Amino acid sequence: MRILMSGGSGLIGTAVGSRLEAEGHTVVRLVRRPPKAGELTWDPVAGTLDPAAFDGCDAVINLSGANIGDKRWTDQYKAELVSSRLLATELLANTMADLDHKPEVFLSGSAVGWYGDRGDERLDELSAPRDDFLSDLCQQWEAATAVAEKVCIRTVHLRTGIVLSAKGGALKKQLPLFKLGLGGRFGNGHQWQSWISIDDEVGAIVHLLTSEICGAVNLTAPNPVTNIEFTATLAKVLHRPAVLPVPTFGPKLLLGREMVDSLMLRGQRVLPTVLQRSGYEFQHTTLDAALRDVLHRS
């Protein structure tokens, strides 16, 4: 296949691109800087994307978006979190919709933040969203693909959970404290964490390229855990203690209450119902196995 990818330099995009190329596919990456071999330039803010980028293209993977956990959620950065996703997604969808020869499939990013903070409720793809910043962001993000869906391009919304990789994401940020024996639960630790190994994140995306699925798909492992379970398992794998809770006043002072509440003290118990029904076989169904495998390769 010939696949056009945005967000190809991020944690997930890098891993997906490498896997696809290893399997013999051609991946063309959209970049905002001067392009190298195998890359094309675009500018979502200016709304510029040469339709010729889609020539011979079988699929589009959209992973664009400013990092949710990188900066304090000022009003300015929250606006960037939204615009970086909507402008990129709308530009791809609108350009594809006007083509005579359209790609067959459009895999577009989303997140389990769609569901909001739901306590112990078991959530699948049919569960309704909530009214908070992350849920609203995800709803807008998914709605931005509407034009592509209207012209019958098979569109999948990748509702991704916490991706486990020693190379980036939440796990990489936690490792230094845990390796020192200073890691611990956040708050009361009862908040759910819907995780997925980087291997299964990539495997699921590759699987969805050639499946017949459309609509929302939860990219999470079958066994979500509470924060208490997550911290205890990570500490066990690292052979370190995790006894004391992490004080929240420091992160709240540094990152702001809204960001810390949303990303650290709230959660969702999300199940990959659609993915499992489609026949996808997970490499890592338990957190212990996932962490041991991921950290063994770090």
Side-chain angles (χ1 to χ4, degrees), residues 23-292:
E23 293 187 359
H25 304 293
T26 299
V27 179
V28 180
R29 295 165 176 83
L30 293 172
V31 298
R32 294 172 176 80
R33 51 171 171 72
K36 301 176 183 178
E39 298 177 341
L40 294 172
T41 301
W42 72 326
D43 188 343
V45 176
T48 56
L49 173 58
D50 187 349
F54 295 87
D55 288 352
C57 180
D58 301 294
V60 176
I61 301 176
N62 171 35
L63 301 174
S64 291
N67 194 304
I68 289 288
D70 265 6
K71 298 180 182 179
R72 186 185 181 97
W73 284 4
T74 62
D75 289 343
Q76 181 179 1
Y77 194 60
K78 286 169 70 175
E80 183 180 342
L81 292 174
V82 175
S83 65
S84 63
R85 287 162 172 77
L86 299 194
L87 293 177
T89 305
E90 289 171 349
L91 181 56
L92 288 168
N94 290 335
T95 306
M96 281 189 282
D98 289 336
L99 297 173
D100 291 330
H101 300 286
K102 300 173 176 57
E104 295 181 5
V105 57
F106 183 27
L107 305 185
S108 190
S110 186
V112 295
W114 161 279
Y115 302 105
D117 183 25
R118 307 291 280 271
D120 293 334
E121 182 181 355
R122 294 174 180 267
L123 304 166
D124 63 17
E125 288 82 359
L126 297 179
S127 300
R130 282 291 171 90
D131 183 19
D132 60 38
F133 171 68
L134 286 182
S135 181
D136 184 61
L137 168 59
C138 292
Q139 291 174 66
Q140 293 184 66
W141 197 2
E142 294 188 11
T145 66
V147 175
E149 296 173 65
K150 287 180 180 178
V151 295
C152 298
I153 296 172
R154 182 172 67 85
T155 301
V156 180
H157 301 124
L158 308 171
R159 290 184 184 167
T160 296
I162 301 168
V163 179
L164 300 183
S165 170
K167 296 180 179 179
L171 180 59
K172 182 181 179 181
K173 294 177 180 178
Q174 290 177 280
L175 281 176
L177 276 179
F178 274 83
K179 286 181 177 179
L180 292 172
L182 300 175
R185 60 176 169 82
F186 291 119
N188 63 24
H190 294 162
Q191 65 274 29
W192 285 89
Q193 296 187 251
S194 297
W195 59 274
I196 185 170
S197 71
I198 186 66
D199 305 279
D200 279 316
E201 176 77 8
V202 172
I205 290 173
V206 173
H207 171 77
L208 291 167
L209 278 174
T210 55
S211 72
E212 297 180 356
I213 296 171
C214 61
V217 180
N218 293 332
L219 268 56
T220 61
N223 296 296
V225 297
T226 64
N227 179 251
I228 290 176
E229 294 174 275
F230 187 94
T231 54
T233 304
L234 179 55
K236 182 180 70 173
V237 170
L238 293 172
H239 305 289
R240 295 291 188 275
V243 179
L244 298 176
V246 176
T248 60
F249 65 85
K252 286 183 178 180
L253 184 64
L254 181 66
L255 301 172
R257 177 180 294 274
E258 182 182 16
M259 179 179 177
V260 171
D261 285 348
S262 296
L263 299 184
M264 298 168 64
L265 300 178
R266 299 173 185 167
Q268 307 84 20
R269 190 180 189 180
V270 179
L271 303 174
T273 303
V274 171
L275 200 54
Q276 288 186 300
R277 287 178 178 171
S278 74
Y280 178 74
E281 295 185 8
F282 282 86
Q283 296 182 52
H284 302 113
T285 59
T286 66
L287 180 63
D288 184 275
L291 288 173
R292 290 184 186 282

